[in-house]
Amino acid sequence: MKAIGALCLLTLLVAVLASALGVVWTRHESRVLFVNLTALQNQRDELNIEYGKLELEQATYAEPRRIDDEARQKLGMVDPRPQDIRLLR
């Protein structure tokens, strides 16, 4: 009878220790994953800021007045004279 009681007690002790180790490991994993999540959220926020800046830059470069100025200054383009315009029918 004492042997069965001792065996049950030992089994319960092993189960409690295994459970405690499982809790510790789970909390550690949870903290590691939370740190990773926070880092990824910060990276997402930085990328969203950069994307907003790039959209603003694209809108600036696509502005018709700027394109016209670039065409005139860098490419030497000019408006055609009336005598140079041909209508095709």
Side-chain angles (χ1 to χ4, degrees):
M1 224 22 157
K2 280 188 169 186
I4 294 175
L7 185 60
C8 285
L9 186 61
L10 183 61
T11 304
L12 288 174
L13 179 64
V14 169
V16 167
L17 288 175
S19 175
L21 287 174
V23 168
V24 169
W25 182 80
T26 303
R27 293 197 96 179
H28 173 70
E29 278 298 308
S30 174
R31 288 182 179 135
V32 168
L33 291 173
F34 181 75
V35 168
N36 288 341
L37 174 66
T38 304
L40 289 172
Q41 286 173 337
N42 290 339
Q43 183 181 9
R44 179 205 59 203
D45 294 342
E46 290 171 6
L47 289 172
N48 280 337
I49 291 170
E50 183 180 354
Y51 181 72
K53 289 178 182 178
L54 289 172
E55 280 185 325
L56 181 62
E57 184 179 353
Q58 181 184 18
T60 301
Y61 283 139
E63 187 177 313
R65 179 69 185 152
R66 185 187 170 287
I67 293 172
D68 186 58
D69 290 343
E70 291 286 324
R72 290 178 189 280
Q73 292 173 2
K74 290 186 178 178
L75 300 176
M77 297 177 84
V78 295
D79 288 330
R81 298 176 301 188
Q83 61 266 27
D84 292 335
I85 298 174
R86 304 278 186 249
L87 294 177
L88 299 176
R89 294 179 192 213

